[in-house]
Amino acid sequence: MERTLSIIKPDAVERNFVGKIIGKFEENGLRPVAIRMVHLSQSDAEGFYAVHKERPFFGSLVSFMTRSPVVVMVLEGEDAVKRNREVMGATNPEEAADGTIRKEFAKNIEENSVHGSDSLENAAIEIAYFFSATEVYNR
C-alpha cells in the first residue's frame, strides 16, 4: 500500500465539490486515512510550493491557494501516487481525460481543483508538511 497527499483546492471547495471529489478517489480505490480543512497562510503556501519559487506563476499560485480554505488529505491504496494522478487528470482540464476530476470540476489550468504528489518521495515530504504521524490512520 502506498500513500499520497491530495489537496482539494479553493476553486473546488468554494463550489462545494469536496464530497464529489472524495467520492471519485474512493471509487478508484483510494481511501482517505487523514483529512482536514485548512485556510493556508501566505507562509504555508509559499513553503509548500517553494519548489516553484522561481517560476513566473508562483505569486498567483500562492494568492490562489490562500484565498479560501483547502482540504488536505492522505490517500492510501495500491499504486496510490499513480492512481491519484490518473483520477485527477491532466493539469490542463482541456487536455484531461473524460471522467477525471479536472475534466469535470476544474475551471482552467490555474484553478484546476486538485493537487496530488508526483512521486513517493514527494508524497512523504508533502504528507509530513501537513500531518504528524499520529494524525494519519494506521491499520
Side-chain angles (χ1 to χ4, degrees):
M1 286 291 186
E2 289 180 1
R3 289 184 170 172
T4 189
L5 183 85
S6 178
I7 301 175
I8 302 176
K9 294 180 177 181
D11 62 299
V13 173
E14 292 164 356
R15 292 177 295 142
N16 298 313
F17 292 145
V18 172
K20 289 179 181 180
I21 290 172
I22 292 171
K24 283 253 187 217
F25 289 129
E26 290 177 324
E27 289 165 13
N28 285 278
L30 295 168
R31 156 180 113 111
V33 293
I35 187 168
R36 85 164 149 259
M37 182 178 280
V38 297
H39 197 149
L40 298 176
S41 68
Q42 182 161 338
S43 63
D44 291 335
E46 287 174 346
F48 184 75
Y49 287 108
V51 66
H52 299 302
K53 191 169 180 88
E54 301 305 317
R55 294 228 163 105
F57 60 82
F58 180 74
S60 63
L61 175 62
V62 168
S63 186
F64 165 59
M65 291 299 291
T66 58
R67 82 175 186 204
S68 61
V70 298
V71 174
V72 293
M73 62 187 142
V74 179
L75 300 175
E76 180 181 81
E78 289 186 36
D79 297 318
V81 171
K82 180 181 175 193
R83 185 171 292 170
N84 182 29
R85 297 189 69 75
E86 289 170 353
V87 173
M88 287 190 312
T91 303
N92 183 345
E94 292 178 13
E95 298 170 2
D98 288 342
T100 62
I101 291 169
R102 288 180 172 149
K103 187 68 165 188
E104 291 187 23
F105 303 113
K107 287 182 164 184
N108 54 54
I109 195 167
E110 291 183 357
E111 296 191 22
N112 61 16
S113 299
V114 285
H115 164 88
S117 303
D118 63 2
S119 68
L120 279 175
E121 296 77 23
N122 283 338
I125 293 165
E126 292 178 351
I127 289 167
Y129 193 85
F130 288 107
F131 297 97
S132 70
T134 60
E135 294 175 303
V136 181
Y137 174 73
N138 288 302
R139 289 187 249 163

